[in-house]
Amino acid sequence: MHAVGPKSVDIDADVDADGDEAREYVENVRLLSEGSVRRSFDPYTDIDWDNPEFAVEANEEGWILPAASDVMARHPWYQGLPTEKKIAIGKYRTANMCKVALQNECVLISGMAVFNFGLPVGSPEFEYCTHEMIEEHNHNLMFAELIKRIGPAEPGPMWLRRGRTAGALAAALAPNLFFMIVQVVEDVPDCMQKMILRAGDQVHPLLRNVISIHVAEESRHISFTREFLKKNVPPKNPLSKFVLSMAFPLIIRMSSRVLLLPSMRFYRKFDVPKDVQRQMYGTPEAAQYLSEFFTDSRTLAHEIGLMNPVAKALWKMLRIDGGRSRFRSEPLRRAR
Ligand SMILES: [Fe+2]
Ligand SMILES: [Fe+2]
């Protein structure tokens, strides 16, 4: 009997109670663990940091932000800047995106450690989450190496620094809520990073290498979170379900600014005009573009029964409503 975590993570009991569905869930989680054992990356041996082609100064234009992947890079203000300034902004923004990613990984790892604390030894979730934490630690070493080369990076968003214990707290008290946060902070950067990869040779080879490794491992992480939420969002507890249906769009709205938009410090540092700042997120077109990043989350909300009429209205009010995807990562194609 475990003290922390949802009742439904008692795998043996679940298999007895839910039959085929629970068995399929256990099998899928074990397959993800096997994937981690078979293929995982090392930040020092899988990236040739000393390769002259990976030097930051080699192919400097590779640091210019690809228009498809970044809310600022697609703005005519950025596109009209001199090449050196575009490179400087590209390096600064990339370093800061890595810093936010690193801090998000810390929140995720702390929550998973708490979640794992009470799980029975041998539980597929314990094993998978342990693999995932190891991979996230390696991602952080990789992000840190990249920041050391292209930085400096800002200290990170204020609310993220103040809320750094939120992951552990949510994992202890409400694991479904915790994995909902995980879903958002993994899915949105994943979508963005895939867009960067699609820019191909235009992107600096060092960044391409780092992102390729990250995207490959995040795919497993996102699969696990989706499996977990599909299984554990309670189908028979209307109050809990309603609370989660309200929490989901709120988490997305709160995270979207730090995940997708430059910071106020950035705007000041590079003298970004006020009207350009507003156009990046304050116009209906900008809202429409940003909402594309949440298509997979909206689809998941429908799939796990969290899109009731009140939730729908909230998604709309927060300007993150829109269509659903037919399969994961489809928004990538539309935004492109
Ligand atoms: Fe990661
Ligand atoms: Fe991850």
Side-chain angles (χ1 to χ4, degrees):
M1 188 79 171
H2 48 90
V4 179
K7 189 165 156 255
S8 53
V9 295
D10 189 340
I11 298 302
D12 292 338
D14 277 355
V15 170
D16 290 344
D18 303 331
D20 289 350
E21 253 178 50
R23 233 175 280 279
E24 194 184 325
Y25 168 78
V26 170
E27 177 119 335
N28 289 343
V29 176
R30 290 213 194 278
L31 279 175
L32 290 170
S33 287
E34 281 169 31
S36 288
V37 173
R38 263 203 321 274
R39 186 81 179 113
S40 60
F41 294 90
D42 181 287
Y44 300 109
T45 55
D46 287 313
I47 299 180
D48 187 3
W49 296 99
D50 297 326
N51 183 337
E53 280 182 29
F54 284 3
V56 174
E57 307 74 35
N59 180 20
E60 272 224 297
E61 293 191 10
W63 296 108
I64 294 175
L65 301 164
S69 68
D70 189 85
V71 70
M72 187 181 49
R74 58 199 289 276
H75 196 283
W77 173 83
Y78 179 75
Q79 290 168 2
L81 292 173
T83 303
E84 309 80 65
K85 195 156 183 193
K86 278 199 268 194
I87 292 169
I89 288 179
K91 285 203 283 196
Y92 187 86
R93 180 131 168 80
T94 304
N96 283 297
M97 286 192 287
C98 288
K99 182 66 185 285
V100 172
L102 183 154
Q103 290 176 326
N104 274 328
E105 306 282 36
C106 289
V107 172
L108 182 152
I109 292 163
S110 63
M112 276 197 176
V114 170
F115 175 71
N116 261 6
F117 182 87
L119 293 182
V121 171
S123 126
E125 282 147 328
F126 174 87
E127 285 169 9
Y128 181 73
C129 287
T130 305
H131 287 301
E132 182 165 335
M133 282 188 283
I134 293 166
E135 289 167 7
E136 299 295 24
H137 275 300
N138 277 327
H139 295 172
N140 275 358
L141 290 170
M142 184 171 74
F143 290 142
E145 284 301 317
L146 184 60
I147 295 169
K148 278 197 267 178
R149 285 163 174 79
I150 61 168
E154 296 170 4
M158 178 67 82
W159 73 262
L160 187 54
R161 283 182 282 144
R162 288 198 176 144
R164 63 190 180 279
T165 53
L169 213 61
L173 302 173
N176 286 342
L177 184 67
F178 168 67
F179 279 102
M180 204 171 253
I181 297 170
V182 171
Q183 199 274 335
V184 174
V185 300
E186 290 202 314
D187 203 47
V188 175
D190 184 68
C191 184
M192 203 170 179
Q193 288 168 8
K194 282 180 179 156
M195 286 174 167
I196 295 174
L197 285 183
R198 297 231 174 187
D201 291 349
Q202 195 193 327
V203 179
H204 194 283
L206 180 58
L207 181 61
R208 229 165 43 221
N209 204 332
V210 165
I211 291 181
S212 305
I213 288 178
H214 196 242
V215 161
E217 290 193 331
E218 285 307 305
S219 168
R220 277 197 297 266
H221 302 178
I222 293 169
S223 296
F224 171 71
T225 306
R226 293 173 71 85
E227 289 284 332
F228 183 92
L229 288 172
K230 280 182 188 175
K231 176 172 186 292
N232 289 296
V233 169
K236 288 179 193 129
N237 182 340
L239 180 64
S240 168
K241 211 167 164 179
F242 182 75
V243 171
L244 288 172
S245 75
M246 297 288 106
F248 205 8
L250 288 171
I251 293 167
I252 290 176
R253 189 70 188 85
M254 282 161 64
S255 319
S256 62
R257 202 183 187 297
V258 293
L259 292 172
L260 294 170
L261 298 171
S263 65
M264 296 314 288
R265 201 188 286 243
F266 168 88
Y267 290 143
R268 283 195 297 274
K269 183 175 169 70
F270 291 101
D271 295 323
V272 183
K274 279 267 184 278
D275 60 324
V276 173
Q277 294 178 28
R278 196 187 60 79
Q279 284 158 18
M280 276 192 246
Y281 64 91
T283 63
E285 295 74 30
Q288 160 76 30
Y289 173 76
L290 294 175
S291 85
E292 290 280 338
F293 283 86
F294 313 121
T295 307
D296 281 351
S297 298
R298 278 193 300 270
T299 307
L300 181 64
H302 279 283
E303 284 171 7
I304 57 180
L306 296 184
M307 209 47 113
N308 55 59
V310 187
K312 261 189 198 159
L314 185 59
W315 283 79
K316 195 174 169 58
M317 196 180 92
L318 298 173
R319 301 203 301 172
I320 51 173
D321 60 327
R324 285 188 244 180
S325 52
R326 286 169 299 169
F327 49 86
R328 204 165 76 70
S329 288
E330 196 192 6
L332 169 74
R333 298 187 309 137
R334 286 213 298 272
R336 194 158 61 95

